[in-house]
Amino acid sequence: MFKRVLVANRGEIAVRVMRTLRRLRIQSVAMYSDADARTLHTRSATEAHPLRGTLPAETYLDQEKILEIAKTTGADAVHPGYGFLSENPSFAAAVEAAGMSFIGPSPSAMMALGDKVKGRAAASKAGLPVAPGSLAGLADAEEASTEASRIGFPVILKASGGGGGIGMRIVRTPQDMAREFAAAKATADSAFKGSAVFVEKFIERPRHIEFQFIADSHGNCVYFPERECSVQRRYQKLIEESPSPGVSDVERRRIGALVTRLALDVGYENAGTAEFLLSDGSFYFNEVNARLQVEHPVTEAVCGVDLVELQLRVAAGEALPIRQDAIAARGHAIECRINAEDVSRDFAPSPGHVRVYEAPSGPFVRVDGFLAAGDDVVEHYDSLIAKAIAWAPTRDEAIDRMRALLEDFRIEGPATTLPFHLAAMGDPGFRAGRLSTSFVDESGIPARLKADADARAARMTRLAAALAADIHANPSGAIRLMDRPHRGSPGSKWANAGRARQMRGGKRA
């Protein structure tokens, strides 16, 4: 096993990886940007080193700086977390060339599956169902139109090297193809270094289902019960759960077995996730994420495993300590991503100073985070600030436990997605398991939260106008009233806080 591991990441995933390292008595090395100098991941590590700079390109994406820290600190392995360089084959190769282990798949496996066009071809060869579409990049809009006409509109254009929904374009008619192809190609050129563009049949209102798998260097590969990740905004997941309320035991075993075949076919080692769209009972392979996923805690909760520990053992050359017939979902787990986003403003980013941060705890719940009161959510990185995970014997009980967990969460400062999650836990469609990637819009939750925010703003505007008019009409009296302590509780901060809460639209306690 390793002696010292550099965690090449930040935020909650860096803290989460370090927790397992500490339990296994492995020393951890943190790295941090100027903006992260005081955050929890720097204090969780055995030692921490600055990257000098703030922007991702000059810090968490700067391979030379990261490798230099790894070498000078004597790290014998690098864990990339997710995002940043976690799926970069050249970084993985550079780590190995420097004599260290990369805790993730090999560069060749990344290239075989990380590219979406190559991934579709490999999945098809392994027997996985693939959505109708091209198995190679398209030369131009004319070729895209020909392929779209063959499989039928609507279709979706994607960059083969893309991710996170960036640059994907839905095309519903032949007349729109030239414009949308040009836009997709421009994004592929600018964001993904000239990546090829390909076309797939667009699946309307599917479920998003994914299978976690892990393979070792001894020819073993296992899969875990699926995760449902259908609740998304702009192709970014908000709520994940395991198992899915829409997948049967038979489908789970069939797709899971094909996923392991795909991993073994390409010589994959370490953890990965195969993503699918599920519509009208049919699965369609989407892509493989060659890394640990944000939502891995729900798998850990229902299967009783530590996926980071499995990653470490496999990367160190050990055989998987778990067999397929020993893996089963026990109960149900749900994860809510707490993002610094304003749901009432179409999930707009909401960086800022955190005045209050109180993460709840209790039986069968878990919060993965990295913030504390007094920290800042900076605009340079992604908006994820915490993950709330709840487990229970049944899905209904897990939803109830999650709702109680969210009600006890206190974050003041940036706007967060907590109101959305609370509303979702009470939504009849969510509780019934009627999920699709259109859930967020179709639930009407963002529209209701926006209406509530608009009503509060209008109430505050009327109150401010009334107060201003009163001061204008009787300035000396108004000043005396404002200066006078509240009767019965002179100077009470609790009374002042209560009045402030009422002015914001809250109820009297």
Side-chain angles (χ1 to χ4, degrees):
M1 182 52 82
F2 305 115
K3 301 294 184 186
R4 176 172 290 199
V5 173
L6 169 73
V7 181
N9 217 296
R10 65 178 297 277
E12 68 84 19
I13 186 59
V15 176
R16 186 265 170 272
V17 171
M18 289 172 191
R19 285 190 175 124
T20 292
L21 293 174
R22 188 161 53 248
R23 180 172 63 78
L24 297 176
R25 297 291 187 265
I26 299 172
Q27 294 183 337
S28 56
V29 179
M31 55 183 210
Y32 58 91
S33 69
D34 293 348
D36 285 337
R38 293 177 55 249
T39 56
L40 181 59
H41 87 273
T42 64
R43 304 193 301 276
S44 300
T46 308
E47 57 185 279
H49 295 264
L51 287 163
R52 306 297 182 196
T54 298
L55 299 177
E58 61 188 8
T59 54
Y60 300 106
L61 291 173
D62 190 320
Q63 297 188 30
E64 289 188 13
K65 285 184 180 178
I66 295 170
L67 287 171
E68 184 62 26
I69 292 174
K71 293 174 186 173
T72 56
T73 57
D76 47 9
V78 174
H79 194 301
Y82 54 72
F84 293 125
L85 296 169
S86 61
E87 294 183 276
N88 187 314
S90 68
F91 179 64
V95 169
E96 293 179 355
M100 295 174 282
S101 295
F102 181 79
I103 302 173
S106 66
S108 61
M110 277 192 207
M111 288 187 283
L113 293 176
D115 181 283
K116 288 182 169 55
V117 170
K118 293 179 180 176
R120 279 170 55 83
S124 180
K125 182 179 178 183
L128 281 164
V130 176
S134 54
L135 292 176
L138 301 165
D140 49 33
E142 183 177 353
E143 186 178 3
S145 292
T146 301
E147 186 66 14
S149 297
R150 182 183 70 80
I151 61 178
F153 286 89
V155 298
I156 185 167
L157 298 169
K158 300 180 178 179
S160 62
I166 299 172
M168 293 198 296
R169 315 288 296 194
I170 299 170
V171 187
R172 295 191 176 277
T173 68
Q175 292 75 24
D176 296 333
M177 179 58 81
R179 180 186 69 248
E180 298 298 342
F181 185 88
K185 184 61 179 151
T187 302
D189 289 342
S190 61
F192 305 115
K193 299 180 179 178
S195 173
V197 172
F198 69 101
V199 65
E200 279 183 357
K201 178 70 179 174
F202 178 65
I203 309 297
E204 303 271 8
R205 301 181 71 256
R207 287 178 180 270
H208 181 123
I209 304 294
E210 62 185 32
F211 283 76
Q212 175 80 63
F213 64 91
I214 187 164
D216 63 22
S217 58
H218 304 272
N220 304 305
C221 182
V222 297
Y223 70 89
F224 295 88
E226 77 288 341
R227 297 187 287 251
E228 166 115 28
C229 312
S230 299
V231 181
Q232 308 175 358
R233 57 101 179 88
R234 296 193 290 275
Y235 302 108
Q236 296 295 311
K237 301 161 189 169
L238 290 168
I239 301 175
E240 300 101 342
E241 58 184 296
S242 182
S244 165
V247 175
S248 69
D249 290 341
V250 172
E251 290 171 322
R252 180 174 304 121
R253 288 193 294 270
R254 180 175 72 88
I255 299 298
L258 292 174
V259 166
T260 59
R261 182 188 299 174
L262 169 63
L264 293 172
D265 280 356
V266 300
Y268 197 100
E269 294 177 17
N270 217 280
T273 300
E275 295 189 342
F276 298 85
L277 301 180
L278 173 60
S279 178
D280 296 328
S282 296
F283 280 84
Y284 300 98
F285 172 81
N286 189 33
E287 63 179 351
V288 167
N289 289 316
R291 55 174 165 76
L292 192 67
Q293 294 279 86
V294 176
E295 56 272 24
H296 74 275
V298 293
T299 298
E300 294 182 328
V302 297
C303 294
V305 297
D306 182 335
L307 289 170
V308 172
E309 179 180 349
L310 292 181
Q311 282 192 293
L312 290 162
R313 294 196 180 283
V314 165
E318 297 181 18
L320 276 172
I322 187 170
R323 292 166 51 92
Q324 188 64 62
D325 56 9
I327 298 174
R330 287 174 281 276
H332 200 94
I334 299 176
E335 174 182 283
C336 291
R337 298 191 189 192
I338 315 300
N339 298 335
E341 297 173 354
D342 189 342
V343 182
S344 66
R345 296 175 53 234
D346 193 25
F347 294 91
S350 178
H353 186 66
V354 179
R355 298 191 305 274
V356 175
Y357 183 89
E358 295 176 4
S361 62
F364 310 115
V365 300
R366 165 179 166 181
V367 175
D368 285 7
F370 67 103
L371 286 177
D375 287 345
D376 292 310
V377 177
V378 295
E379 67 274 20
H380 307 295
Y381 315 119
D382 68 51
S383 61
L384 180 66
I385 57 178
K387 302 183 305 196
I389 302 102
W391 177 93
T394 67
R395 186 172 185 269
D396 278 344
E397 292 171 289
I399 292 173
D400 290 341
R401 186 163 283 156
M402 175 59 79
R403 182 157 61 181
L405 175 64
L406 297 170
E407 287 172 344
D408 288 342
F409 222 127
R410 286 192 64 208
I411 302 175
E412 294 184 10
T416 73
T417 49
L418 279 169
F420 171 83
H421 292 308
L422 268 170
M425 293 304 115
D427 182 87
F430 183 85
R431 294 202 71 108
R434 294 194 298 271
L435 303 176
S436 78
T437 54
S438 301
F439 172 84
V440 170
D441 290 334
E442 293 178 353
S443 70
I445 294 173
R448 291 200 299 274
L449 293 175
K450 182 179 186 305
D452 291 345
D454 290 346
R456 281 196 302 274
R459 194 160 53 241
M460 292 297 290
T461 300
R462 289 195 300 272
L463 184 59
L467 186 59
D470 187 58
I471 292 173
H472 180 74
N474 187 10
S476 59
I479 292 171
R480 284 197 302 274
L481 178 64
M482 294 175 69
D483 287 346
R484 187 174 63 199
H486 186 265
R487 185 173 58 190
S489 56
S492 167
K493 294 182 179 178
W494 286 103
N496 292 337
R499 284 195 293 275
R501 184 181 178 188
Q502 283 182 280
M503 291 176 68
R504 293 195 299 268
K507 297 178 181 178
R508 187 186 294 274

